[in-house]
Amino acid sequence: MAVLVLLRHGKSMWNKLNLFTGWVDVPLAEEGIDEALKAGERLKNCCFDEVYTSVLIRSIQTAMISLSKNKCGKIPIIQHNEGKMKDWANMPENIPVLPVYEIEELNERYYGNLQGLNKQEMAEKFGAEMVHRWRRSYDINPPGGESLKDNYERTIPFFKSTIIPKLQEGKNILISAHGNSLRAIVKFIENISDNDIPKFEIPTGKPLIYDYKNGGFIKKSDDEND
Ligand SMILES: O=C(O)[C@@H](CO)OP(=O)(O)O
């Protein structure tokens, strides 16, 4: 058996300003740092074997800050291209490294022309229903951006080819990513339909914990022990 934890990054500076963010590399707000610490407290006894983030700083910060609370004694080390960084990346044998991989396929959906614009102002300009469809539907693209389906089609092949085999090996995995790349993963593992996915939201900084056994995912309740 293995454990999979999905953690949406804590509130970012642009979440606070209600701006469409997408691939803009915005850091956590103070509130988001606090959420990451609280998530770390909840996960402190979860002994991860590998950690995956997107390449965006808000997901990397959330992973590293939450791991600062971990009691399993491993040192999270962001892995770079071994070829170029081999000497630098080499850690002394006696350090229990927790490898952290930055993965582009885990990025937030690309919000195209909306990035940097205010969500409320866009609702006033284009209508609340239209903006809700851009934000939460499965196959409607925001102007110049990715639909959730596009996001799914880049995130799930990575999840199947890299994460599932690790879980099958019994490795405990933390994925620190974004509202929409994680909605894609939850859609896949919980088999949520295209019609139902618009109703599904993932709050910032609140871990979703699954046991993985016999090829299936069993969601754990918020207060269940690890
Ligand atoms: O703007 C974004 O990148 C995302 C997440 O903050 O927004 P939404 O939740 O509306 O998809």
Side-chain angles (χ1 to χ4, degrees):
M1 188 179 89
V3 172
L4 170 67
V5 176
L6 305 177
L7 179 58
R8 182 183 175 192
H9 63 79
K11 234 178 240 5
S12 75
M13 291 191 170
W14 278 18
N15 288 151
K16 294 275 292 178
L17 297 172
N18 204 28
L19 302 180
F20 284 103
T21 312
W23 288 4
V24 179
D25 202 6
V26 170
L28 296 179
E30 211 170 306
E31 196 176 331
I33 292 170
D34 190 46
E35 286 177 329
L37 288 166
K38 284 194 175 73
E41 195 56 43
R42 169 69 184 84
L43 300 169
K44 64 186 176 185
N45 298 316
C46 200
C47 293
F48 296 111
D49 296 293
E50 295 186 6
V51 178
Y52 293 81
T53 71
S54 76
V55 299
L56 298 169
I57 189 69
R58 56 194 188 269
S59 77
I60 300 163
Q61 284 178 298
T62 299
M64 302 305 270
I65 291 168
S66 68
L67 289 168
S68 71
K69 293 285 188 183
N70 202 275
K71 302 294 185 201
C72 298
K74 292 184 181 176
I75 313 293
I77 302 289
I78 294 174
Q79 303 298 302
H80 286 272
N81 173 336
E82 293 292 314
K84 289 203 293 280
M85 318 281 271
K86 193 149 188 62
D87 298 341
W88 181 83
N90 257 350
M91 300 298 288
E93 290 307 313
N94 63 338
I95 290 200
V97 170
L98 173 59
V100 180
Y101 301 94
E102 299 170 342
I103 307 292
E104 207 163 73
E105 288 83 349
L106 290 173
N107 274 11
E108 176 58 271
R109 98 157 73 208
Y110 180 60
Y111 257 116
N113 309 344
L114 294 178
Q115 292 184 169
L117 300 179
N118 183 279
K119 295 175 185 177
Q120 183 53 38
E121 286 173 17
M122 291 303 104
E124 287 156 13
K125 182 172 180 183
F126 296 103
E129 180 52 30
M130 185 74 252
V131 170
H132 180 75
R133 278 197 218 116
W134 288 336
R135 293 182 63 195
R136 291 294 171 264
S137 72
Y138 185 56
D139 53 7
I140 296 173
N141 293 61
E146 285 183 307
S147 63
L148 181 60
K149 183 170 182 283
D150 296 329
N151 195 155
Y152 183 100
E153 289 173 352
R154 66 171 156 82
T155 298
I156 299 311
F158 161 76
F159 186 78
K160 285 178 181 173
S161 64
T162 302
I163 302 299
I164 298 257
K166 302 283 184 179
L167 294 168
Q168 285 168 337
E169 290 169 31
K171 290 192 171 176
N172 297 327
I173 304 292
L174 169 63
I175 298 180
S176 172
H178 302 266
N180 291 294
S181 51
L182 292 178
R183 285 173 73 227
I185 293 176
V186 174
K187 181 179 195 301
F188 172 72
I189 62 180
E190 295 192 17
N191 197 23
I192 299 173
S193 71
D194 298 1
N195 289 337
D196 288 338
I197 196 64
K199 301 179 208 97
F200 181 73
E201 292 268 352
I202 298 186
T204 50
K206 194 165 168 297
L208 302 180
I209 305 171
Y210 297 85
D211 284 335
Y212 180 80
K213 53 184 165 190
N214 308 324
F217 292 90
I218 301 119
K219 196 168 187 179
K220 296 178 83 164
S221 62
D222 290 353
D223 53 4
E224 236 179 303
N225 292 331
D226 301 332

